[in-house]
Amino acid sequence: MRKVILFIAISLDGFIADQNGKVDWLNGQSDHEETLDSCSAFMETVDTVIMGWNTYHQIITELSPDQWIYQNMTSYVITHRELPSTDTIRFTQSDPCNVVRTQKRKTGKGIWICGGGTIIQPLIRNGLIDEYYISVIPTILGAGIRLFEENNTEIKLKLSRTQSYNGITELVYTPR
């Protein structure tokens, strides 16, 4: 079965976005230090990306308004909106857990859970994340959208990899 990977960045205090949903704080501690491109290496291991409407909307309006950045992948956008799908972007009103279970049974590379919080939470609660790839950014936001909610059950993890550069620490965990 395909691996489901939560590949995401968080602030030091555990937020995936600020209180306005912005992610412009996602950078290292210095513009003069080297930054590794672990994202490109990760992207080679996946062929499917799953996200919610807010993440999709942020990509097309702020982060990459001129070009869909996941052109070489099949993208699933979970939304309440009825929108026409394309060859590479599939809009669905399905439950995120059902989308993941269906994709996991298909052949292919890994499945990337891109965001946001309302998509991630049910996947965590239902034990559908096979790998947690979390980049901790050297910023304390104080408020925003949390990665982990208080009502989650305990999940024991095993640290499988770590690396640090430019104040960013990448942690990779798998369930024990």
Side-chain angles (χ1 to χ4, degrees):
M1 289 182 91
R2 298 165 72 188
K3 190 186 316 185
V4 178
I5 306 147
L6 174 62
F7 184 92
I8 200 159
I10 63 170
S11 63
L12 185 59
D13 52 348
F15 297 103
I16 59 175
D18 70 18
Q19 56 193 354
N20 297 315
K22 302 290 184 194
V23 293
D24 54 358
W25 50 272
L26 291 175
N27 48 36
Q29 63 193 9
S30 172
D31 292 336
H32 305 293
E33 286 188 42
E34 184 177 337
T35 299
L36 295 177
D37 185 13
S38 56
C39 187
S40 291
F42 168 76
M43 300 280 267
E44 294 295 320
T45 69
V46 295
D47 62 7
T48 303
V49 59
I50 297 173
M51 67 188 74
W53 170 261
N54 290 339
T55 301
Y56 169 77
H57 190 258
Q58 188 172 50
I59 291 168
I60 64 167
T61 60
E62 296 174 38
L63 304 177
S64 183
D66 299 325
Q67 176 182 335
W68 182 241
I69 55 177
Y70 306 125
Q71 201 68 309
N72 297 330
M73 294 186 223
T74 302
S75 300
Y76 288 87
V77 179
I78 300 170
T79 178
H80 297 294
R81 294 167 175 81
E82 291 188 30
L83 299 167
S85 294
T86 68
D87 290 341
T88 57
I89 304 172
R90 304 204 176 126
F91 296 96
T92 179
Q93 296 179 0
S94 297
D95 174 84
C97 295
N98 291 338
V99 173
V100 167
R101 286 183 185 111
T102 299
Q103 293 308 308
K104 197 169 170 101
R105 288 190 295 270
K106 294 181 178 181
T107 59
K109 295 180 179 181
I111 301 165
W112 173 20
I113 308 303
C114 180
T118 58
I119 303 305
I120 296 167
Q121 295 312 313
L123 300 176
I124 292 172
R125 280 193 298 276
N126 286 280
L128 292 171
I129 306 291
D130 298 312
E131 188 173 84
Y132 293 81
Y133 195 124
I134 301 171
S135 297
V136 181
I137 307 300
T139 299
I140 296 173
L141 292 175
I145 300 169
R146 287 212 167 274
L147 175 56
F148 300 109
E149 292 181 352
E150 289 183 24
N151 64 354
N152 283 331
T153 58
E154 180 179 341
I155 301 170
K156 295 192 182 290
L157 302 173
K158 176 185 176 187
L159 181 65
S160 57
R161 282 191 320 272
T162 184
Q163 71 177 358
S164 294
Y165 56 89
N166 197 9
I168 298 169
T169 301
E170 293 179 352
L171 305 164
V172 181
Y173 292 97
T174 55
R176 285 192 251 163

